[in-house]
Amino acid sequence: MAEDMLASVKTDPAPGSTKLMKVPKPKPGQGEVLIRVRVASICGTDVHIYNWDEWAQARIKPPLIQGHEFAGDVVELGPNTSHVQVGDYVSAEGHIACGVCYQCRTGQSHICPNVRIIGVDRDGAFAEYVAVPEENIIVNPPDLPLEIASIQDPFGNSVQTVFSADVPGNYVAIFGLGPTGLMSVALCRAVAARKIFAIGHVNEYRMSLAKELGADLVLRSSDELETMIANETDGRMVDHVLEMSGNQEAFNLGLKILRPGGGMHVLGIYPSPFTVDVSSDIVTKGISLHGIHGRHMYEDWYRMAGLLTSGKFNLKPVITHRFPFQEFLEAMEVMASGNSGKVVVYME
Amino acid sequence: MAEDMLASVKTDPAPGSTKLMKVPKPKPGQGEVLIRVRVASICGTDVHIYNWDEWAQARIKPPLIQGHEFAGDVVELGPNTSHVQVGDYVSAEGHIACGVCYQCRTGQSHICPNVRIIGVDRDGAFAEYVAVPEENIIVNPPDLPLEIASIQDPFGNSVQTVFSADVPGNYVAIFGLGPTGLMSVALCRAVAARKIFAIGHVNEYRMSLAKELGADLVLRSSDELETMIANETDGRMVDHVLEMSGNQEAFNLGLKILRPGGGMHVLGIYPSPFTVDVSSDIVTKGISLHGIHGRHMYEDWYRMAGLLTSGKFNLKPVITHRFPFQEFLEAMEVMASGNSGKVVVYME
Amino acid sequence: MAEDMLASVKTDPAPGSTKLMKVPKPKPGQGEVLIRVRVASICGTDVHIYNWDEWAQARIKPPLIQGHEFAGDVVELGPNTSHVQVGDYVSAEGHIACGVCYQCRTGQSHICPNVRIIGVDRDGAFAEYVAVPEENIIVNPPDLPLEIASIQDPFGNSVQTVFSADVPGNYVAIFGLGPTGLMSVALCRAVAARKIFAIGHVNEYRMSLAKELGADLVLRSSDELETMIANETDGRMVDHVLEMSGNQEAFNLGLKILRPGGGMHVLGIYPSPFTVDVSSDIVTKGISLHGIHGRHMYEDWYRMAGLLTSGKFNLKPVITHRFPFQEFLEAMEVMASGNSGKVVVYME
Amino acid sequence: MAEDMLASVKTDPAPGSTKLMKVPKPKPGQGEVLIRVRVASICGTDVHIYNWDEWAQARIKPPLIQGHEFAGDVVELGPNTSHVQVGDYVSAEGHIACGVCYQCRTGQSHICPNVRIIGVDRDGAFAEYVAVPEENIIVNPPDLPLEIASIQDPFGNSVQTVFSADVPGNYVAIFGLGPTGLMSVALCRAVAARKIFAIGHVNEYRMSLAKELGADLVLRSSDELETMIANETDGRMVDHVLEMSGNQEAFNLGLKILRPGGGMHVLGIYPSPFTVDVSSDIVTKGISLHGIHGRHMYEDWYRMAGLLTSGKFNLKPVITHRFPFQEFLEAMEVMASGNSGKVVVYME
C-alpha cells in the first residue's frame, strides 16, 4: 500500500494549472535516495513552466512536480547506493548527467548533451519527498542554514560565472540584478573586486538590493554608460563583464565597456538571436567570451560549501520572501512579479 | 646630402595610385634601426589600402610607403639603441605599441589601444630601406630562408590562433583558406591534430593547397556541413574552430559544428555586424570564444622561430608567387585576385 | 560448473614464484564486464612484483594474477552495466577510483587516495580473461593495432607528462629512456618541439631507440650537460624537463638545465628521499614543478585515441619484443633485463 | 655645484657600518626620474646587508645606500622619459630588468636573469632622494596612505604568491609569519578562503598579529600538525600551502598537509639545500609546486592598487613601528630583532 504525500503538481499543458494535491510518495530506484524536503526555492525556470511559455511548451510533459532547488534529509536508500546515509542533511545538483558521453567522461558533465533536469524532465522537489540519484547528492555542512542550503543550485551558477572571471583587485560590471546577479554582486564583494558596477534596467527594488549586497555603483543601462565607466576606471574600462540579464542591449553594452583583453562571462539566456559587432567588439579587442551553463560537477559545490562557511559573506539579503508550503501558489506569484529576490518555501 | 632609395608609394587617396619611385632614404630616429630590405611580402591589409576601401579611407594618410612583412639586414643604428647590431639578419613585429598603457604594462601589448602599424600609420617595407624601433626587431635564426622570414608576421597570426586552441589529438575545423588559414592547416598538422577539416568557399586553388598542407578533409561551407562533421567525428563534433574567413555564415556555421565545451578562435574581420544565436550556440553549450589580434609580443615570435627550425613542417607551399621589386604592381594584382597563397617580392 | 582459463599467477610472497596455470575463469560482478584478453604488455610495476622488492612486499597479497596493460574483446556483461556491448574491442584504465572522495568528485580521480589497481590490488590481465568495471573500459578505434592498444596505459603516462608541458616550438629535455621516456620522445617530436634532448645513463640500446623515435640529441647524464645545453640553446636553456628516470641526479640536473620560468614534469619514482637545492633551483628561478601520476580519467584516453589515429607518429618502434603467452616467463625476464623497449604477450 | 642630501650609507664591508651622512643628491640619468622620498620601509634583505651575512658579502659593494621600498614625489625628469610627470605621487618596482633577454621579451621580467635591484646593486631609497628608471615607476592612487604605498614591493610578493594559488572557498595554510606571511593572511581573508591556517614557529608576537589579520587558526609547526589539519578539514587536507618561512621543516611539513592535487607556493629562501621526499610528497600525490620571485611586472602592481582601494582589507596592522629618518639605526635594530611587523621610516 503506497503512502501519499503533498505535492505541487503542474497538471495541464496550460498557464497556471498548478495544484497542491496528494500524490503517491516516490520510491527511490537503482542508485537513488529518497529525501524528505524541508525547504525548496523557486527558480526563474519554474516561472517559465508556470507561465507555460514557448520553451515550456516544447520541453515539459505534464503532469509534473516542479522544483530543483531544495534542502532536506535522506530518509531511504534505493538499491546499489554506496556513500550517502539515512539522516544525512543534503541538497542536490539539479542536472542528472548521462555519465557516458564525451563531456561526462572528461570532467564537463555540466554540459552533458543528454542531461535530464530534476523538476523539469522528472518529478522534483515542490513536494514532501523527492527521489534523486545518489551521484547528485551534496551532503551539506551541518551548520548551513536550511534556506541557504536550498539556494545553492542558483548560487552555483553565480559561482561558475564569477570564477570564470578574475575578479580580485579588478573592475567588474554585472548586468542583470535578479537572484543570480545579486548573488554575483555579493561574491565579487567577497573576493575583493576593485569596483563593482551593478547594472539594472528599471527595477528599483533589485537595484537597492544590489547596493546592500556590496555594489559600489548601481547604474541603469543607458547610452551614457560607456562614458561613466571610462570616468570611474580612469579610462581603463572594466576587466570583466558578467552578463546575467538575458537582454541583448546589455550583452552589446557589456562588450563596449570591456577593456581590450577583457573577459565576457554570459549566463543570460536571450529570447532570440541578435546582432553583434563581432569585429570591433570581440576580435580586434582580443576579448574572451565564455558561455556559462549549470555548475561544475562538483568543483563548484565544494567551493560553495567553502565560501558559505568562510564567514566572509552573507547571502541572506538575497532571500526576500518566505512562505509555508500551503501558500505555494502565492510564492510563485511573488516570484513571477519580478519584485523579489529569492523566494523560499518551507515544507515543515 | 640625403641619399635616395626606390620605394613603392601610395601617392593619392584613391584606388591604385601606387607608384615605384625614388624617395629619400629614411634616417633611424631615437631607439630605431635602419634595415636594408631584402624580401617583403604582401598582406591582405595592403590590398585594402591598394583598393582604397572604406577602412583605408578612414585610416590612411597618403603619401605612404606600405608593407610590414619583410626580412633584411640592419645597416645603421639610431641613438639610444642597445642590443641589435649592424649586420643582424632581422624581421620585425609590425605593431608598434605605446609601452605605457594598461595593456602594454601587463603583457598584452598586442592589443595596445594606441598601436601604430608599420606600413599603415608610418612608412613601411615596400622599399629598399625601412626604419623600425629596435624594440620591434626580431633577430632571425641564421638558416631561416629569406622568404619564410618575411612571412612571419602573418604566420604569427596563425600561431596565436592555433595555440589559443588545444589541437593535439583533437578535431579541428579551419574556416577560410587564405594564407593565414593555410598556415594554420600546416600548424595543426605539425602538432598532431586528430582530424583537420579545412573549409573554404569557392576557391579551388586554395582548397587544393589546403590538402597539400595537411588537411584531412577539404570541404565547402554548406548546409550539410553539420551532418558531415557529425559523421566524421562519431557524433562528438569538433573540439576547436579557427575562424579565419571573415565571413558571417562561416562564423555561425563554426559555432554549430562545435561540441559542447569547445573553443572558437576568431581572427577573421567581418565587414559589418551580424546576427548570432548567442543562447543556443554559445551559452548553453558552454563555448569559449576568443578574439585574436596580432601576435603576442614576443612569445609568439619565439615560438615561431622554434617551429620553423623544428624540421617538422614546411611553409614553402604557402608561397605561390615571387616577383622582383620592379614588378611590384603585378605582385599586388596577383594578391588582389585571390588566386594565390602568399606573394613575395625580392628587393635584390 | 566453473570454466577454467590459463593465467600467469604470482603464487607466493617471494622473488619469481610466477607460474602459468589453470584457474577458474572470473565472473563479472556488479557493473563489471568480462574481457577475453588478446594481447597484454608488461609494465615496470610488474617487474617490481616479479622481483618481490620492498614496495611489492608491502603492497601485494599473493596469489595474484598481475597485468594491467591489455587489449581484447568484451564477452560478457555483469549486472547493472549500461553502455559497453558484448563484442566491443576494448582496453582499460588500470586505476579503479573510489568515485566518492574529493578528488573523484572534482575531476581528479587519477589521484584518488583510495585507488585500487588492476593486476596489483585485484586480479589482472596476464590471463585469458579479466573482469573490469565498465567505468574503466575504453572502446578502442577499430583500426588501432592490438599491441598498440595494449600499451595505452603507459602511453597515457607519457601523454599526461608531455601535455603538462608546453612543447611546440620549445626546447625539451627528457631524462630516462625506458618505455615512457621513449614514448615521450615520440610525442614531443609529433608536436613539433624545437629540439629534443634525450638524456640516458648507460643503456646504448635505449639511447639508439631514442634517436630513432625523434630525439635531436641523445646525451649521457654528466657534469658537462649544463654547458652543452647552454650551447645548443644559445644560452636560453630548456623550457621544459620531463623527468622519467627516477634517478635523483637526473632530477637535480634537470632543474639546473631549466631556464628561469621553465617547467619540471616528474613521472619518475625515486627509491628514497634526496637533497634538492630548493632556493637556487626552484624558488629564485620561478620554476613550476608538477608531480605526474596515472592518466587523466578520461581526457588523456581521448587524446591518446586522437594522437594514435592522427597518422602523425608511430609507436611501433617502442615495442621491441613479442612472445606467445606460453613463453610468458621469458617475456618477463627480457623486460627485467632493461635491454628492451616495451614487451608484449599474445594470448591468441 | 652639486646639492647634498641626507642618506643612510652602508660604508664598509662589515656588520653594521651604516651611517646617516650627507652625500651628493643624485642626478636622474637617461630614462630616469628623481624622487623625493617621503616614506621608506625596511625589508628582510636590508637586514641581511646590515648584518653582512654570506649572501651580502658575495653580492654587495659598499659604499651603498640601501632601500627599495618607498613612496614619494617625482621632482625631476632625466632625458628621454615619456609619461611620468613632475609632482606624481609614486612608488617603484625594485627589480630593474634588462629588457632584452628571453624572459623580459616574454612577459617574465620578474625573473630576468640580468636583474639589478634598487638599494642592492645601485643606490636606493634610504635617503632624501632616489633616482629610478621611469619604466619602474608606479603612479599611486592619490588616496593611498604613504606608508601603505611604501610597503607595496613586499606586498607584491604576497600578491604573487596568493594568486598563484586558488584561494576562494578553499583551505589554505601559510607557513612563516613575517611581514609577507602576515600580508598573505590578510589577502587570503580578503578573498574568502574557507579556513586559513597560519603556522609560525616560536614568535608569539607575530602569531597574535596573524590572528588579528584574519587567520582562523594560528598553529605552531609540530609533529601533530598533520593530524590537526586532517581534523580541521574533515580529512581532505589543505588545498594550497604558501611557504614563506624559509625553514626546511616547514617546507616538508607543508607538503605533508597538502591534499592530492594540491598546490605548494614557495617564496621562502632556505639557507642551504635539504632533503625532500619527492616520490611520496610530490609525484604520486600529483602536487604542483611553484617557485615565487619578485612581482609580475606589472600585473601584480595593478592588482595591488585594486586590492588596496577595494575597501576590503586593511594592511595597517602589519606596520608595527614608525620612526623618523634621524632614528634610522634604531628602526633597523627593531626590524632585525624579529619582534615586529613592518617597520617604516618617515623622511619628512
Side-chain angles (χ1 to χ4, degrees):
Chain A
M1 188 199 71
E3 286 176 81
D4 278 352
M5 69 170 181
L6 190 64
S8 160
V9 183
K10 173 85 179 178
T11 52
D12 294 287
S17 306
T18 294
K19 291 200 191 72
L20 274 193
M21 54 192 285
K22 286 279 173 185
V23 299
K25 183 176 155 187
K27 292 291 301 171
Q30 277 282 347
E32 294 185 350
V33 305
L34 186 71
I35 298 156
R36 184 170 66 89
V37 181
R38 298 176 63 189
V39 171
S41 38
I42 304 178
C43 177
T45 302
D46 294 314
V47 177
H48 289 294
I49 301 176
Y50 182 71
N51 289 339
W52 204 243
D53 70 6
E54 262 183 65
W55 171 83
Q57 293 168 34
R59 175 84 171 251
I60 305 299
K61 314 242 174 302
L64 174 76
I65 302 172
Q66 296 177 225
H68 55 273
E69 308 177 4
F70 67 95
D73 300 320
V74 173
V75 292
E76 190 183 337
L77 305 176
N80 281 313
T81 60
S82 57
H83 62 291
V84 171
Q85 304 294 327
V86 168
D88 280 354
Y89 167 38
V90 302
S91 292
E93 161 63 48
H95 286 197
I96 302 176
C98 77
V100 304
C101 70
Y102 178 83
Q103 279 70 27
C104 284
R105 300 268 283 176
T106 58
Q108 307 170 75
S109 46
H110 64 295
I111 43 173
C112 166
N114 312 314
V115 69
R116 303 188 68 234
I117 302 181
I118 297 172
V120 170
D121 301 309
R122 56 182 273 167
D123 281 341
F126 293 156
E128 288 179 294
Y129 295 91
V130 61
V132 171
E134 185 191 35
E135 168 79 23
N136 283 53
I137 293 296
I138 306 298
V139 179
N140 290 314
D143 52 353
L144 191 64
L146 269 174
E147 59 185 28
I148 300 294
S150 178
I151 64 172
Q152 290 179 95
D153 191 276
F155 181 47
N157 290 131
S158 299
V159 165
Q160 193 194 158
T161 311
V162 168
F163 290 94
S164 164
D166 176 15
V167 172
N170 284 330
Y171 296 112
V172 185
I174 299 169
F175 285 84
L177 303 180
T180 48
L182 292 171
M183 291 190 278
S184 299
V185 168
L187 265 175
C188 289
R189 176 53 44 218
V191 297
R194 182 171 192 159
K195 276 189 191 170
I196 301 168
F197 305 104
I199 302 166
H201 211 59
V202 286
N203 191 318
E204 287 287 349
Y205 184 90
R206 287 175 166 178
M207 290 173 78
S208 104
L209 266 176
K211 194 81 191 167
E212 182 182 348
L213 285 159
D216 291 281
L217 269 94
V218 185
L219 304 167
R220 285 177 194 278
S221 185
S222 78
D223 292 351
E224 295 88 51
L225 190 64
E226 213 173 327
T227 312
M228 289 166 68
I229 296 288
N231 290 339
E232 288 288 333
T233 61
D234 290 321
R236 172 164 143 195
M237 308 307 283
V238 305
D239 298 292
H240 291 277
V241 165
L242 316 183
E243 208 309 88
M244 299 176 144
S245 73
N247 177 297
Q248 69 182 69
E249 279 79 28
F251 180 97
N252 281 315
L253 209 42
L255 289 172
K256 297 283 182 218
I257 65 172
L258 270 181
R259 69 163 171 80
M264 178 86 180
H265 312 268
V266 186
L267 181 71
I269 295 291
Y270 306 86
S272 52
F274 56 92
T275 299
V276 179
D277 190 348
V278 173
S279 293
S280 302
D281 288 349
I282 299 177
V283 178
T284 55
K285 281 173 74 176
I287 299 301
S288 287
L289 189 159
H290 302 274
I292 310 284
H293 186 66
R295 295 142 298 279
H296 289 121
M297 290 153 72
Y298 289 90
E299 297 89 320
D300 286 337
W301 285 91
Y302 282 98
R303 198 190 289 271
M304 264 191 275
L307 291 166
L308 291 170
T309 60
S310 70
K312 279 292 295 175
F313 72 118
N314 185 4
L315 278 186
K316 215 146 202 179
V318 175
I319 301 174
T320 55
H321 296 76
R322 293 161 183 85
F323 291 89
F325 191 27
Q326 272 68 20
E327 298 169 19
F328 179 77
L329 295 183
E330 285 148 76
M332 188 67 99
E333 290 292 343
V334 166
M335 187 69 190
S337 75
N339 286 314
S340 74
K342 210 68 204 171
V343 175
V344 301
V345 176
Y346 276 81
M347 267 60 177
E348 56 181 17
Chain B
M1 188 201 71
E3 285 176 80
D4 278 351
M5 68 170 182
L6 190 64
S8 159
V9 183
K10 173 85 179 178
T11 54
D12 293 287
S17 304
T18 295
K19 290 200 192 73
L20 274 192
M21 56 193 285
K22 287 279 174 185
V23 299
K25 182 176 156 187
K27 291 291 299 173
Q30 276 282 347
E32 293 186 351
V33 305
L34 187 71
I35 299 156
R36 184 171 66 90
V37 181
R38 298 176 63 190
V39 170
S41 38
I42 304 178
C43 177
T45 301
D46 294 314
V47 176
H48 288 294
I49 301 175
Y50 182 71
N51 289 339
W52 203 243
D53 70 6
E54 262 183 63
W55 171 84
Q57 293 168 35
R59 175 85 170 251
I60 305 298
K61 315 240 172 304
L64 174 77
I65 301 172
Q66 296 177 222
H68 55 273
E69 308 177 5
F70 66 94
D73 300 321
V74 174
V75 291
E76 190 184 336
L77 305 176
N80 281 312
T81 60
S82 57
H83 62 290
V84 171
Q85 304 295 327
V86 168
D88 281 353
Y89 166 39
V90 302
S91 292
E93 162 62 49
H95 286 197
I96 302 176
C98 76
V100 305
C101 69
Y102 178 83
Q103 280 69 27
C104 284
R105 299 270 282 178
T106 58
Q108 307 170 74
S109 47
H110 63 295
I111 43 175
C112 166
N114 312 312
V115 69
R116 302 188 69 235
I117 302 180
I118 298 172
V120 170
D121 301 308
R122 54 182 273 167
D123 281 340
F126 294 155
E128 289 178 295
Y129 295 91
V130 61
V132 171
E134 184 191 34
E135 168 80 23
N136 283 53
I137 293 295
I138 306 298
V139 179
N140 291 314
D143 53 352
L144 191 65
L146 268 173
E147 58 185 27
I148 300 293
S150 177
I151 63 172
Q152 289 180 96
D153 192 274
F155 181 47
N157 290 131
S158 299
V159 165
Q160 194 194 157
T161 310
V162 168
F163 290 94
S164 164
D166 176 16
V167 172
N170 284 329
Y171 296 112
V172 186
I174 299 169
F175 286 83
L177 303 180
T180 49
L182 292 170
M183 289 190 279
S184 299
V185 169
L187 264 175
C188 289
R189 176 52 45 218
V191 296
R194 182 170 192 159
K195 276 189 191 170
I196 301 167
F197 305 104
I199 302 165
H201 210 59
V202 287
N203 191 317
E204 286 287 351
Y205 184 91
R206 286 175 166 178
M207 289 173 79
S208 104
L209 266 175
K211 194 82 193 166
E212 181 181 350
L213 285 159
D216 292 280
L217 269 94
V218 184
L219 304 167
R220 285 176 194 278
S221 185
S222 79
D223 292 349
E224 294 88 52
L225 189 64
E226 212 173 329
T227 311
M228 289 167 67
I229 296 288
N231 290 339
E232 287 288 334
T233 62
D234 289 320
R236 171 164 144 194
M237 308 307 283
V238 306
D239 299 292
H240 291 276
V241 165
L242 316 183
E243 208 309 89
M244 299 175 143
S245 73
N247 178 296
Q248 68 181 71
E249 279 79 28
F251 180 97
N252 281 315
L253 209 42
L255 288 173
K256 297 282 182 218
I257 65 173
L258 268 180
R259 69 162 171 81
M264 178 85 181
H265 312 268
V266 186
L267 182 71
I269 296 291
Y270 306 86
S272 52
F274 57 91
T275 299
V276 179
D277 190 347
V278 173
S279 293
S280 302
D281 289 350
I282 298 177
V283 179
T284 55
K285 281 172 74 175
I287 299 302
S288 288
L289 189 159
H290 303 273
I292 310 283
H293 186 65
R295 297 142 295 282
H296 288 122
M297 292 152 72
Y298 291 92
E299 297 89 320
D300 287 336
W301 286 90
Y302 281 98
R303 197 189 290 271
M304 265 190 275
L307 291 166
L308 291 170
T309 60
S310 70
K312 280 290 296 176
F313 72 118
N314 185 4
L315 278 186
K316 215 148 204 179
V318 175
I319 302 173
T320 55
H321 297 76
R322 294 162 182 84
F323 291 88
F325 192 27
Q326 272 68 21
E327 298 170 19
F328 179 77
L329 295 183
E330 286 150 74
M332 189 65 101
E333 291 291 344
V334 166
M335 187 68 190
S337 76
N339 287 314
S340 74
K342 211 69 206 169
V343 175
V344 301
V345 176
Y346 276 80
M347 267 59 177
E348 55 180 16
Chain C
M1 189 200 70
E3 285 175 80
D4 278 352
M5 70 170 180
L6 190 64
S8 159
V9 183
K10 174 85 179 178
T11 54
D12 294 287
S17 305
T18 295
K19 289 200 191 73
L20 274 191
M21 56 192 283
K22 286 278 174 186
V23 299
K25 182 177 156 187
K27 291 291 300 172
Q30 276 282 348
E32 293 186 350
V33 305
L34 186 70
I35 298 155
R36 185 170 66 89
V37 181
R38 298 176 62 188
V39 170
S41 39
I42 303 178
C43 177
T45 302
D46 294 314
V47 176
H48 289 293
I49 301 174
Y50 182 72
N51 289 339
W52 203 243
D53 70 7
E54 263 182 62
W55 171 84
Q57 294 169 35
R59 175 83 171 250
I60 305 299
K61 315 240 172 306
L64 174 77
I65 301 172
Q66 296 178 222
H68 55 274
E69 308 177 3
F70 67 94
D73 301 320
V74 174
V75 291
E76 191 183 337
L77 306 176
N80 281 313
T81 60
S82 58
H83 62 291
V84 170
Q85 304 295 326
V86 168
D88 280 354
Y89 166 39
V90 302
S91 291
E93 162 62 48
H95 286 198
I96 302 175
C98 78
V100 304
C101 69
Y102 178 83
Q103 280 69 27
C104 284
R105 300 268 283 177
T106 59
Q108 306 171 74
S109 47
H110 64 295
I111 43 174
C112 166
N114 311 313
V115 69
R116 303 189 69 235
I117 302 180
I118 298 172
V120 171
D121 302 308
R122 55 182 272 168
D123 281 340
F126 294 156
E128 289 178 295
Y129 295 91
V130 63
V132 171
E134 185 191 35
E135 168 80 23
N136 283 52
I137 293 296
I138 306 298
V139 179
N140 290 314
D143 53 352
L144 191 66
L146 268 172
E147 59 186 27
I148 300 293
S150 178
I151 64 173
Q152 288 180 95
D153 192 275
F155 181 47
N157 290 130
S158 299
V159 165
Q160 194 194 159
T161 311
V162 168
F163 290 94
S164 163
D166 176 15
V167 172
N170 284 330
Y171 295 112
V172 186
I174 298 169
F175 286 83
L177 303 179
T180 48
L182 292 170
M183 290 191 277
S184 299
V185 169
L187 264 176
C188 289
R189 177 51 45 217
V191 296
R194 182 170 192 159
K195 275 189 191 171
I196 301 167
F197 305 104
I199 302 165
H201 211 59
V202 287
N203 190 318
E204 287 287 351
Y205 184 89
R206 287 175 164 178
M207 290 173 78
S208 105
L209 265 175
K211 194 82 191 165
E212 182 182 348
L213 285 158
D216 292 280
L217 268 93
V218 184
L219 305 167
R220 285 175 193 279
S221 185
S222 79
D223 292 349
E224 295 89 51
L225 190 64
E226 212 174 329
T227 311
M228 289 167 67
I229 296 288
N231 290 340
E232 288 288 334
T233 62
D234 289 321
R236 171 163 142 195
M237 307 308 281
V238 305
D239 298 291
H240 292 276
V241 165
L242 316 183
E243 207 311 87
M244 299 175 144
S245 73
N247 178 296
Q248 69 181 69
E249 280 80 28
F251 179 98
N252 281 316
L253 209 41
L255 288 173
K256 297 281 181 219
I257 65 172
L258 268 181
R259 67 162 172 82
M264 178 85 180
H265 311 269
V266 186
L267 182 72
I269 296 291
Y270 306 86
S272 52
F274 57 91
T275 299
V276 179
D277 190 346
V278 174
S279 293
S280 302
D281 289 349
I282 298 177
V283 179
T284 56
K285 280 172 76 176
I287 298 302
S288 288
L289 189 158
H290 302 274
I292 310 282
H293 186 64
R295 296 142 296 280
H296 289 122
M297 291 151 73
Y298 291 90
E299 296 89 319
D300 287 337
W301 286 91
Y302 281 98
R303 198 190 289 271
M304 264 191 275
L307 291 165
L308 291 170
T309 59
S310 71
K312 278 293 294 177
F313 71 119
N314 185 3
L315 278 186
K316 215 147 203 178
V318 175
I319 302 173
T320 55
H321 296 77
R322 293 160 183 86
F323 291 89
F325 192 28
Q326 273 67 20
E327 297 170 20
F328 179 78
L329 295 183
E330 285 148 76
M332 189 66 101
E333 291 291 343
V334 167
M335 187 67 190
S337 75
N339 286 314
S340 73
K342 209 69 204 169
V343 175
V344 300
V345 176
Y346 276 80
M347 268 59 177
E348 53 180 18
Chain D
M1 188 201 70
E3 286 176 79
D4 278 351
M5 69 169 181
L6 190 65
S8 160
V9 183
K10 174 86 180 177
T11 54
D12 294 286
S17 304
T18 296
K19 290 200 191 72
L20 274 191
M21 55 192 286
K22 288 278 174 185
V23 299
K25 182 176 155 187
K27 291 290 300 173
Q30 276 281 348
E32 293 185 350
V33 306
L34 187 70
I35 298 155
R36 183 170 67 88
V37 181
R38 299 177 62 189
V39 170
S41 39
I42 304 178
C43 178
T45 302
D46 293 315
V47 176
H48 288 294
I49 301 175
Y50 183 71
N51 289 340
W52 204 243
D53 70 7
E54 263 183 63
W55 171 83
Q57 294 168 35
R59 175 84 171 252
I60 306 299
K61 314 241 172 305
L64 173 77
I65 302 172
Q66 296 177 223
H68 55 274
E69 308 177 4
F70 68 93
D73 301 320
V74 174
V75 291
E76 190 184 337
L77 306 175
N80 281 313
T81 60
S82 57
H83 62 291
V84 171
Q85 304 296 326
V86 168
D88 281 352
Y89 167 38
V90 301
S91 290
E93 161 62 51
H95 286 198
I96 302 175
C98 77
V100 304
C101 70
Y102 178 83
Q103 280 70 26
C104 284
R105 300 269 282 177
T106 58
Q108 307 170 76
S109 47
H110 64 295
I111 42 173
C112 166
N114 311 314
V115 68
R116 302 188 69 234
I117 302 180
I118 298 172
V120 170
D121 301 309
R122 56 182 271 167
D123 282 340
F126 294 156
E128 289 180 295
Y129 295 90
V130 63
V132 171
E134 185 192 35
E135 167 80 22
N136 283 52
I137 293 296
I138 307 299
V139 179
N140 290 315
D143 52 352
L144 191 65
L146 269 172
E147 58 186 28
I148 300 294
S150 178
I151 64 172
Q152 289 179 95
D153 192 275
F155 182 47
N157 290 130
S158 298
V159 165
Q160 194 195 158
T161 311
V162 168
F163 290 94
S164 164
D166 176 15
V167 172
N170 285 329
Y171 296 111
V172 186
I174 299 169
F175 286 83
L177 303 179
T180 48
L182 293 171
M183 290 190 279
S184 299
V185 169
L187 264 175
C188 289
R189 176 52 45 217
V191 297
R194 181 170 193 159
K195 276 189 190 169
I196 301 168
F197 306 104
I199 302 165
H201 211 59
V202 287
N203 191 319
E204 287 287 348
Y205 184 90
R206 287 176 165 178
M207 289 173 78
S208 104
L209 266 176
K211 194 80 192 168
E212 182 182 349
L213 286 159
D216 291 281
L217 269 94
V218 184
L219 305 167
R220 283 175 195 280
S221 185
S222 79
D223 292 350
E224 295 88 52
L225 189 64
E226 213 173 330
T227 311
M228 289 167 68
I229 296 288
N231 290 340
E232 288 288 334
T233 61
D234 289 320
R236 172 163 143 194
M237 307 308 282
V238 306
D239 299 290
H240 292 277
V241 165
L242 316 183
E243 209 309 89
M244 299 177 143
S245 73
N247 178 295
Q248 69 181 70
E249 279 80 28
F251 180 97
N252 281 316
L253 209 42
L255 289 173
K256 297 281 182 220
I257 65 172
L258 269 181
R259 68 162 172 81
M264 178 86 181
H265 312 269
V266 186
L267 181 72
I269 296 291
Y270 306 86
S272 52
F274 57 91
T275 299
V276 179
D277 190 347
V278 174
S279 294
S280 302
D281 289 349
I282 298 177
V283 179
T284 56
K285 280 173 74 176
I287 299 301
S288 287
L289 190 159
H290 303 274
I292 310 284
H293 186 65
R295 295 141 299 279
H296 289 122
M297 290 152 74
Y298 291 91
E299 296 90 320
D300 287 337
W301 285 91
Y302 282 97
R303 196 190 290 271
M304 264 190 275
L307 291 166
L308 291 170
T309 59
S310 70
K312 281 290 296 175
F313 72 119
N314 185 4
L315 278 186
K316 215 146 204 178
V318 175
I319 301 174
T320 55
H321 296 76
R322 292 160 183 86
F323 291 89
F325 191 28
Q326 272 68 20
E327 298 170 19
F328 179 78
L329 295 184
E330 286 149 76
M332 189 66 102
E333 290 291 343
V334 166
M335 186 69 189
S337 75
N339 287 314
S340 73
K342 210 68 205 170
V343 175
V344 302
V345 176
Y346 276 81
M347 268 58 178
E348 57 181 17

